[in-house]
């Protein structure tokens, strides 16, 4: 018989629960620069449109995130100890009218390899397995999300170099790579993100196969491939549009007005699902009554609209 796993101690459980109680779940206003170079357009669109439930993290994961923040402070101290001037921590990144957003880990002068060149700073921590890949293949190949984040950060601040500094959580090994700004990469990525932002419907999937590698780790899989319903917010409503002016602004064509962040979270009684998000086949539209009728997989009719009535 295999040995029984040891029960988690009450103290540890209480610490994790305390992290969970203090944690806040929130929707990102736009596409995070850290996720912008993801492999699947549809995944980025679902996040931008707040389709899936807010993520809830276990206390252990929340503590791990805090460890990452502590490590960032340590990396700043390490750089300052060797004479690097670090500034601009948490400076805001805003691209595509504020629909792509983030903050940088800092900027620096006095980087040993090129002291007179201003660098963007991007700090990460990794386990030994991930570190091995980063050392072997470099940021661009081993960590495409990090690479996209570095590039978009340089683009936003008009910088030509980024110091990508990674610490290994297992043995404290450090890895540093000076990444050069790649204008062509950035323009291609920004054009792709603009297409995703302006797409009124979910873009193509990375694969139609259920067991595709990326899909196994995708938090939107229930909506994308398992007929789950999206959250009811303005962002899943066909009347909403991300505006291409302002700073991450959205508007509603039903009420002909801008919609604030708080209003978007609440939605309103005239919410109408974007048809591609309904796990059924659209069979009728009544513009006057503002309803759309669907045949659901079990044969039942469902009417989406102001009265939320059942047709049959
Ligand atoms: S489940 Fe797969 S195809 Fe669907 S959004 Fe996620 S990664 Fe893309
Ligand atoms: S109709 Fe209501 S739910 Fe839809 S976008 Fe306008 S305010 Fe939001």
């Amino acid at each position: 018989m295999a040995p029984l796993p040891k029960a988690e101690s009450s103290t540890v459980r209480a610490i994790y629960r305390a992290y969970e109680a203090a944690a806040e779940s929130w929707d990102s206003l736009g596409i995070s620069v850290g996720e912008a170079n993801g492999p699947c357009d549809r995944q980025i669109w679902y996040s931008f449109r707040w389709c899936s439930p807010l993520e809830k993290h276990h206390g252990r994961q929340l503590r791990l995130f805090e460890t990452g923040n502590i490590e960032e402070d340590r990396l700043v101290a390490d750089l300052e100890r060797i004479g690097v001037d670090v500034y601009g921590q948490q400076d805001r990144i805003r691209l595509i009218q504020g629909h792509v957003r983030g903050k940088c880990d800092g900027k620096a002068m006095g980087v040993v390899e090129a002291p007179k060149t201003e660098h963007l700073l991007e700090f990460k921590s990794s386990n030994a397995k991930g570190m091995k890949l980063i050392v072997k293949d470099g940021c661009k190949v081993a960590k495409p999300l990090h690479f996209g984040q570095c590039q978009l950060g340089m683009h936003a601040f008009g910088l030509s170099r980024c110091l990508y500094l990674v610490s290994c959580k297992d043995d404290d090994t450090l890895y540093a790579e000076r990444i050069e700004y790649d204008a062509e990469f950035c323009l291609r990525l920004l054009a792709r993100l603009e297409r995703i932002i302006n797409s009124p419907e979910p873009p193509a999937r990375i694969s139609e196969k259920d067991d595709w590698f990326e899909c196994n780790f995708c938090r939107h899989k229930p909506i994308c491939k398992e007929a789950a319903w999206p959250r009811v917010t303005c962002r899943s409503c066909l009347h909403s549009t991300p505006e291409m002016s302002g700073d991450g602004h959205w508007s509603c064509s039903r009420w002909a007005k801008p919609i604030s962040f708080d209003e978007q979270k609440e939605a309103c009684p005239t919410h109408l699902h974007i048809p591609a998000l309904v796990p059924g086949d659209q069979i009728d539209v009544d513009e006057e009554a503002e309803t759309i009728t669907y045949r659901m997989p079990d044969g039942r009719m469902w009417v989406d609209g102001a009265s939320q009535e059942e047709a049959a």
Side-chain angles (χ1 to χ4, degrees):
M1 180 181 141
L4 291 172
K6 277 192 185 165
E8 189 175 79
S9 88
S10 302
T11 299
V12 169
R13 202 162 47 240
I15 291 172
Y16 287 159
R17 293 299 95 88
Y19 271 91
E20 288 160 13
E24 289 174 21
S25 287
W26 67 90
D27 288 302
S28 170
L29 265 173
I31 297 170
S32 157
V33 285
E35 292 173 6
N37 196 30
C40 177
D41 289 3
R42 195 176 180 105
Q43 184 181 54
I44 295 171
W45 190 92
Y46 281 140
S47 293
F48 183 56
R49 291 278 180 163
W50 300 345
C51 289
S52 295
L54 283 171
E55 284 183 290
K56 285 208 175 354
H57 296 286
H58 187 272
R60 185 194 65 78
Q61 291 170 300
L62 294 165
R63 192 168 183 281
L64 195 61
F65 299 153
E66 193 178 88
T67 304
N69 293 337
I70 293 168
E71 184 60 21
E72 277 181 22
D73 293 341
R74 215 175 144 207
L75 289 170
V76 170
D78 287 341
L79 288 172
E80 289 176 337
R81 191 175 296 134
I82 59 166
V84 177
D85 181 19
V86 177
Y87 51 91
Q89 287 112 311
Q90 304 299 311
D91 277 0
R92 299 186 321 169
I93 298 170
R94 297 284 183 269
L95 294 162
I96 315 186
Q97 279 68 49
H99 292 300
V100 176
R101 312 166 75 87
K103 288 180 181 165
C104 78
D105 289 336
K107 297 169 195 157
M109 288 296 287
V111 170
V112 178
E113 291 85 347
K116 292 186 182 151
T117 304
E118 186 178 23
H119 285 64
L120 179 77
L121 295 176
E122 190 53 55
F123 301 136
K124 298 290 178 198
S125 50
S126 168
N127 59 22
K129 194 174 158 207
M131 190 74 161
K132 211 168 152 188
L133 289 175
I134 295 170
V135 172
K136 178 170 153 280
D137 297 327
C139 177
K140 186 172 185 176
V141 173
K143 294 286 176 188
L145 291 181
H146 296 176
F147 187 75
Q149 189 171 7
C150 294
Q151 289 294 342
L152 292 181
M154 284 188 277
H155 185 87
F157 297 119
L159 300 175
S160 61
R161 292 285 186 283
C162 173
L163 182 69
Y164 173 67
L165 190 56
V166 189
S167 71
C168 178
K169 289 185 256 196
D170 297 66
D171 62 8
D172 258 324
T173 304
L174 294 179
Y175 170 84
E177 180 178 335
R178 289 179 62 235
I179 298 174
E180 199 170 333
Y181 173 61
D182 183 339
E184 200 189 318
F185 172 92
C186 282
L187 295 179
R188 256 189 290 118
L189 178 55
L190 288 168
R192 175 186 170 215
L193 293 170
E194 195 163 339
R195 269 199 311 277
I196 294 170
I197 288 163
N198 287 320
S199 175
E201 299 212 315
R205 297 178 173 92
I206 190 170
S207 167
E208 295 299 321
K209 290 183 183 164
D210 286 344
D211 59 352
W212 190 258
F213 177 75
E214 275 86 4
C215 303
N216 293 332
F217 306 98
C218 177
R219 76 183 183 96
H220 304 298
K221 193 174 182 187
I223 287 180
C224 183
K225 295 191 166 172
E226 294 161 4
W229 287 85
R231 278 168 64 201
V232 173
T233 70
C234 286
R235 296 213 182 178
S236 61
C237 174
L238 56 72
H239 294 301
S240 70
T241 304
E243 289 298 327
M244 283 295 128
S245 60
D247 180 18
H249 290 172
W250 285 68
S251 66
C252 165
S253 59
R254 170 64 175 76
W255 300 108
K257 70 177 198 73
I259 32 177
S260 70
F261 186 52
D262 286 339
E263 285 172 320
Q264 290 170 42
K265 284 193 278 188
E266 289 297 317
C268 84
T270 55
H271 178 277
L272 267 185
H273 288 80
I274 294 169
L277 290 173
V278 175
D281 295 324
Q282 182 185 329
I283 57 165
D284 195 19
V285 178
D286 185 334
E287 286 191 20
E288 205 169 309
E290 298 184 73
T291 58
I292 304 178
T293 305
Y294 298 86
R295 181 178 291 110
M296 306 312 285
D298 60 4
R300 189 175 50 95
M301 299 297 189
W302 179 71
V303 181
D304 188 14
S307 60
Q308 300 294 325
E309 66 197 88
E310 288 282 326

mmCIF file with all atom_site columns, all heavy atoms in Angstrom, residues 234 237 239-240 252 254-255 259 267-268 270-272, ligand 2:
data_model
loop_
_atom_site.group_PDB
_atom_site.id
_atom_site.type_symbol
_atom_site.label_atom_id
_atom_site.label_alt_id
_atom_site.label_comp_id
_atom_site.label_asym_id
_atom_site.label_entity_id
_atom_site.label_seq_id
_atom_site.pdbx_PDB_ins_code
_atom_site.Cartn_x
_atom_site.Cartn_y
_atom_site.Cartn_z
_atom_site.occupancy
_atom_site.B_iso_or_equiv
_atom_site.pdbx_formal_charge
_atom_site.auth_seq_id
_atom_site.auth_comp_id
_atom_site.auth_asym_id
_atom_site.auth_atom_id
_atom_site.pdbx_PDB_model_num
ATOM   1   N  N   . CYS A 1 234 ? -20.827 44.046 -20.035 1.00 0.00 ? 234 CYS A N   1
ATOM   2   C  CA  . CYS A 1 234 ? -20.954 44.775 -21.306 1.00 0.00 ? 234 CYS A CA  1
ATOM   3   C  C   . CYS A 1 234 ? -20.025 44.189 -22.370 1.00 0.00 ? 234 CYS A C   1
ATOM   4   O  O   . CYS A 1 234 ? -20.315 44.272 -23.561 1.00 0.00 ? 234 CYS A O   1
ATOM   5   C  CB  . CYS A 1 234 ? -20.629 46.251 -21.114 1.00 0.00 ? 234 CYS A CB  1
ATOM   6   S  SG  . CYS A 1 234 ? -21.928 47.168 -20.266 1.00 0.00 ? 234 CYS A SG  1
ATOM   7   N  N   . CYS A 1 237 ? -21.567 41.755 -24.602 1.00 0.00 ? 237 CYS A N   1
ATOM   8   C  CA  . CYS A 1 237 ? -22.813 42.247 -25.205 1.00 0.00 ? 237 CYS A CA  1
ATOM   9   C  C   . CYS A 1 237 ? -22.536 42.774 -26.607 1.00 0.00 ? 237 CYS A C   1
ATOM   10  O  O   . CYS A 1 237 ? -21.540 43.481 -26.826 1.00 0.00 ? 237 CYS A O   1
ATOM   11  C  CB  . CYS A 1 237 ? -23.380 43.362 -24.334 1.00 0.00 ? 237 CYS A CB  1
ATOM   12  S  SG  . CYS A 1 237 ? -24.818 44.191 -25.050 1.00 0.00 ? 237 CYS A SG  1
ATOM   13  N  N   . HIS A 1 239 ? -23.800 45.112 -28.143 1.00 0.00 ? 239 HIS A N   1
ATOM   14  C  CA  . HIS A 1 239 ? -23.902 46.568 -28.274 1.00 0.00 ? 239 HIS A CA  1
ATOM   15  C  C   . HIS A 1 239 ? -22.618 47.293 -27.886 1.00 0.00 ? 239 HIS A C   1
ATOM   16  O  O   . HIS A 1 239 ? -22.534 48.512 -28.041 1.00 0.00 ? 239 HIS A O   1
ATOM   17  C  CB  . HIS A 1 239 ? -25.041 47.099 -27.392 1.00 0.00 ? 239 HIS A CB  1
ATOM   18  C  CG  . HIS A 1 239 ? -26.402 46.642 -27.826 1.00 0.00 ? 239 HIS A CG  1
ATOM   19  N  ND1 . HIS A 1 239 ? -26.918 46.905 -29.065 1.00 0.00 ? 239 HIS A ND1 1
ATOM   20  C  CD2 . HIS A 1 239 ? -27.359 45.930 -27.166 1.00 0.00 ? 239 HIS A CD2 1
ATOM   21  C  CE1 . HIS A 1 239 ? -28.132 46.384 -29.163 1.00 0.00 ? 239 HIS A CE1 1
ATOM   22  N  NE2 . HIS A 1 239 ? -28.419 45.783 -28.029 1.00 0.00 ? 239 HIS A NE2 1
ATOM   23  N  N   . SER A 1 240 ? -21.635 46.592 -27.327 1.00 0.00 ? 240 SER A N   1
ATOM   24  C  CA  . SER A 1 240 ? -20.435 47.283 -26.832 1.00 0.00 ? 240 SER A CA  1
ATOM   25  C  C   . SER A 1 240 ? -19.344 47.325 -27.895 1.00 0.00 ? 240 SER A C   1
ATOM   26  O  O   . SER A 1 240 ? -19.223 46.415 -28.714 1.00 0.00 ? 240 SER A O   1
ATOM   27  C  CB  . SER A 1 240 ? -19.911 46.595 -25.573 1.00 0.00 ? 240 SER A CB  1
ATOM   28  O  OG  . SER A 1 240 ? -19.362 45.340 -25.900 1.00 0.00 ? 240 SER A OG  1
ATOM   29  N  N   . CYS A 1 252 ? -21.457 52.120 -25.768 1.00 0.00 ? 252 CYS A N   1
ATOM   30  C  CA  . CYS A 1 252 ? -22.621 51.248 -25.959 1.00 0.00 ? 252 CYS A CA  1
ATOM   31  C  C   . CYS A 1 252 ? -23.491 51.856 -27.059 1.00 0.00 ? 252 CYS A C   1
ATOM   32  O  O   . CYS A 1 252 ? -23.910 53.017 -26.954 1.00 0.00 ? 252 CYS A O   1
ATOM   33  C  CB  . CYS A 1 252 ? -23.410 51.166 -24.653 1.00 0.00 ? 252 CYS A CB  1
ATOM   34  S  SG  . CYS A 1 252 ? -25.063 50.476 -24.872 1.00 0.00 ? 252 CYS A SG  1
ATOM   35  N  N   . ARG A 1 254 ? -26.490 50.719 -27.882 1.00 0.00 ? 254 ARG A N   1
ATOM   36  C  CA  . ARG A 1 254 ? -27.895 50.638 -27.466 1.00 0.00 ? 254 ARG A CA  1
ATOM   37  C  C   . ARG A 1 254 ? -28.331 51.932 -26.771 1.00 0.00 ? 254 ARG A C   1
ATOM   38  O  O   . ARG A 1 254 ? -29.402 52.461 -26.994 1.00 0.00 ? 254 ARG A O   1
ATOM   39  C  CB  . ARG A 1 254 ? -28.087 49.431 -26.528 1.00 0.00 ? 254 ARG A CB  1
ATOM   40  C  CG  . ARG A 1 254 ? -29.445 49.341 -25.828 1.00 0.00 ? 254 ARG A CG  1
ATOM   41  C  CD  . ARG A 1 254 ? -30.581 49.153 -26.818 1.00 0.00 ? 254 ARG A CD  1
ATOM   42  N  NE  . ARG A 1 254 ? -31.874 48.953 -26.184 1.00 0.00 ? 254 ARG A NE  1
ATOM   43  C  CZ  . ARG A 1 254 ? -32.587 49.924 -25.628 1.00 0.00 ? 254 ARG A CZ  1
ATOM   44  N  NH1 . ARG A 1 254 ? -32.141 51.158 -25.583 1.00 0.00 ? 254 ARG A NH1 1
ATOM   45  N  NH2 . ARG A 1 254 ? -33.778 49.650 -25.097 1.00 0.00 ? 254 ARG A NH2 1
ATOM   46  N  N   . TRP A 1 255 ? -27.446 52.432 -25.901 1.00 0.00 ? 255 TRP A N   1
ATOM   47  C  CA  . TRP A 1 255 ? -27.763 53.660 -25.159 1.00 0.00 ? 255 TRP A CA  1
ATOM   48  C  C   . TRP A 1 255 ? -27.009 54.869 -25.714 1.00 0.00 ? 255 TRP A C   1
ATOM   49  O  O   . TRP A 1 255 ? -27.104 55.964 -25.163 1.00 0.00 ? 255 TRP A O   1
ATOM   50  C  CB  . TRP A 1 255 ? -27.443 53.478 -23.663 1.00 0.00 ? 255 TRP A CB  1
ATOM   51  C  CG  . TRP A 1 255 ? -28.231 52.364 -23.034 1.00 0.00 ? 255 TRP A CG  1
ATOM   52  C  CD1 . TRP A 1 255 ? -27.766 51.152 -22.636 1.00 0.00 ? 255 TRP A CD1 1
ATOM   53  C  CD2 . TRP A 1 255 ? -29.635 52.345 -22.772 1.00 0.00 ? 255 TRP A CD2 1
ATOM   54  N  NE1 . TRP A 1 255 ? -28.772 50.369 -22.130 1.00 0.00 ? 255 TRP A NE1 1
ATOM   55  C  CE2 . TRP A 1 255 ? -29.939 51.084 -22.202 1.00 0.00 ? 255 TRP A CE2 1
ATOM   56  C  CE3 . TRP A 1 255 ? -30.673 53.264 -22.956 1.00 0.00 ? 255 TRP A CE3 1
ATOM   57  C  CZ2 . TRP A 1 255 ? -31.235 50.729 -21.825 1.00 0.00 ? 255 TRP A CZ2 1
ATOM   58  C  CZ3 . TRP A 1 255 ? -31.964 52.897 -22.570 1.00 0.00 ? 255 TRP A CZ3 1
ATOM   59  C  CH2 . TRP A 1 255 ? -32.227 51.641 -22.018 1.00 0.00 ? 255 TRP A CH2 1
ATOM   60  N  N   . ILE A 1 259 ? -19.344 53.872 -21.834 1.00 0.00 ? 259 ILE A N   1
ATOM   61  C  CA  . ILE A 1 259 ? -19.649 53.045 -20.651 1.00 0.00 ? 259 ILE A CA  1
ATOM   62  C  C   . ILE A 1 259 ? -18.396 52.958 -19.783 1.00 0.00 ? 259 ILE A C   1
ATOM   63  O  O   . ILE A 1 259 ? -17.319 52.609 -20.248 1.00 0.00 ? 259 ILE A O   1
ATOM   64  C  CB  . ILE A 1 259 ? -20.187 51.632 -21.021 1.00 0.00 ? 259 ILE A CB  1
ATOM   65  C  CG1 . ILE A 1 259 ? -19.593 51.116 -22.344 1.00 0.00 ? 259 ILE A CG1 1
ATOM   66  C  CG2 . ILE A 1 259 ? -21.689 51.605 -21.052 1.00 0.00 ? 259 ILE A CG2 1
ATOM   67  C  CD1 . ILE A 1 259 ? -20.023 49.717 -22.708 1.00 0.00 ? 259 ILE A CD1 1
ATOM   68  N  N   . ALA A 1 267 ? -23.151 45.417 -16.491 1.00 0.00 ? 267 ALA A N   1
ATOM   69  C  CA  . ALA A 1 267 ? -24.042 45.255 -17.647 1.00 0.00 ? 267 ALA A CA  1
ATOM   70  C  C   . ALA A 1 267 ? -25.389 45.923 -17.347 1.00 0.00 ? 267 ALA A C   1
ATOM   71  O  O   . ALA A 1 267 ? -25.545 46.581 -16.328 1.00 0.00 ? 267 ALA A O   1
ATOM   72  C  CB  . ALA A 1 267 ? -24.216 43.803 -18.030 1.00 0.00 ? 267 ALA A CB  1
ATOM   73  N  N   . CYS A 1 268 ? -26.378 45.757 -18.218 1.00 0.00 ? 268 CYS A N   1
ATOM   74  C  CA  . CYS A 1 268 ? -27.701 46.352 -17.969 1.00 0.00 ? 268 CYS A CA  1
ATOM   75  C  C   . CYS A 1 268 ? -28.750 45.353 -18.448 1.00 0.00 ? 268 CYS A C   1
ATOM   76  O  O   . CYS A 1 268 ? -28.422 44.368 -19.105 1.00 0.00 ? 268 CYS A O   1
ATOM   77  C  CB  . CYS A 1 268 ? -27.830 47.710 -18.676 1.00 0.00 ? 268 CYS A CB  1
ATOM   78  S  SG  . CYS A 1 268 ? -28.309 47.569 -20.407 1.00 0.00 ? 268 CYS A SG  1
ATOM   79  N  N   . THR A 1 270 ? -30.694 45.241 -20.813 1.00 0.00 ? 270 THR A N   1
ATOM   80  C  CA  . THR A 1 270 ? -30.850 45.011 -22.262 1.00 0.00 ? 270 THR A CA  1
ATOM   81  C  C   . THR A 1 270 ? -29.626 44.321 -22.870 1.00 0.00 ? 270 THR A C   1
ATOM   82  O  O   . THR A 1 270 ? -29.448 44.342 -24.090 1.00 0.00 ? 270 THR A O   1
ATOM   83  C  CB  . THR A 1 270 ? -31.146 46.329 -23.013 1.00 0.00 ? 270 THR A CB  1
ATOM   84  O  OG1 . THR A 1 270 ? -30.124 47.261 -22.700 1.00 0.00 ? 270 THR A OG1 1
ATOM   85  C  CG2 . THR A 1 270 ? -32.491 46.886 -22.634 1.00 0.00 ? 270 THR A CG2 1
ATOM   86  N  N   . HIS A 1 271 ? -28.819 43.706 -22.010 1.00 0.00 ? 271 HIS A N   1
ATOM   87  C  CA  . HIS A 1 271 ? -27.658 42.943 -22.501 1.00 0.00 ? 271 HIS A CA  1
ATOM   88  C  C   . HIS A 1 271 ? -28.108 41.904 -23.531 1.00 0.00 ? 271 HIS A C   1
ATOM   89  O  O   . HIS A 1 271 ? -29.087 41.182 -23.328 1.00 0.00 ? 271 HIS A O   1
ATOM   90  C  CB  . HIS A 1 271 ? -27.003 42.221 -21.314 1.00 0.00 ? 271 HIS A CB  1
ATOM   91  C  CG  . HIS A 1 271 ? -25.825 41.372 -21.668 1.00 0.00 ? 271 HIS A CG  1
ATOM   92  N  ND1 . HIS A 1 271 ? -25.958 40.084 -22.150 1.00 0.00 ? 271 HIS A ND1 1
ATOM   93  C  CD2 . HIS A 1 271 ? -24.486 41.609 -21.625 1.00 0.00 ? 271 HIS A CD2 1
ATOM   94  C  CE1 . HIS A 1 271 ? -24.751 39.572 -22.365 1.00 0.00 ? 271 HIS A CE1 1
ATOM   95  N  NE2 . HIS A 1 271 ? -23.838 40.474 -22.055 1.00 0.00 ? 271 HIS A NE2 1
ATOM   96  N  N   . LEU A 1 272 ? -27.397 41.860 -24.635 1.00 0.00 ? 272 LEU A N   1
ATOM   97  C  CA  . LEU A 1 272 ? -27.641 40.820 -25.657 1.00 0.00 ? 272 LEU A CA  1
ATOM   98  C  C   . LEU A 1 272 ? -26.302 40.141 -25.942 1.00 0.00 ? 272 LEU A C   1
ATOM   99  O  O   . LEU A 1 272 ? -25.342 40.821 -26.346 1.00 0.00 ? 272 LEU A O   1
ATOM   100 C  CB  . LEU A 1 272 ? -28.134 41.452 -26.963 1.00 0.00 ? 272 LEU A CB  1
ATOM   101 C  CG  . LEU A 1 272 ? -29.617 41.589 -27.215 1.00 0.00 ? 272 LEU A CG  1
ATOM   102 C  CD1 . LEU A 1 272 ? -29.851 42.135 -28.629 1.00 0.00 ? 272 LEU A CD1 1
ATOM   103 C  CD2 . LEU A 1 272 ? -30.348 40.257 -27.055 1.00 0.00 ? 272 LEU A CD2 1
HETATM 104 S  S1  . LIG B 2 .   ? -26.804 47.321 -23.808 1.00 0.00 ? 2   LIG B S1  1
HETATM 105 FE FE1 . LIG B 2 .   ? -26.357 47.294 -21.636 1.00 0.00 ? 2   LIG B FE1 1
HETATM 106 S  S2  . LIG B 2 .   ? -25.057 45.493 -21.361 1.00 0.00 ? 2   LIG B S2  1
HETATM 107 FE FE2 . LIG B 2 .   ? -25.038 46.014 -23.542 1.00 0.00 ? 2   LIG B FE2 1
HETATM 108 S  S3  . LIG B 2 .   ? -23.258 47.332 -23.815 1.00 0.00 ? 2   LIG B S3  1
HETATM 109 FE FE3 . LIG B 2 .   ? -25.037 48.637 -23.469 1.00 0.00 ? 2   LIG B FE3 1
HETATM 110 S  S4  . LIG B 2 .   ? -25.006 49.039 -21.263 1.00 0.00 ? 2   LIG B S4  1
HETATM 111 FE FE4 . LIG B 2 .   ? -23.713 47.268 -21.638 1.00 0.00 ? 2   LIG B FE4 1
#
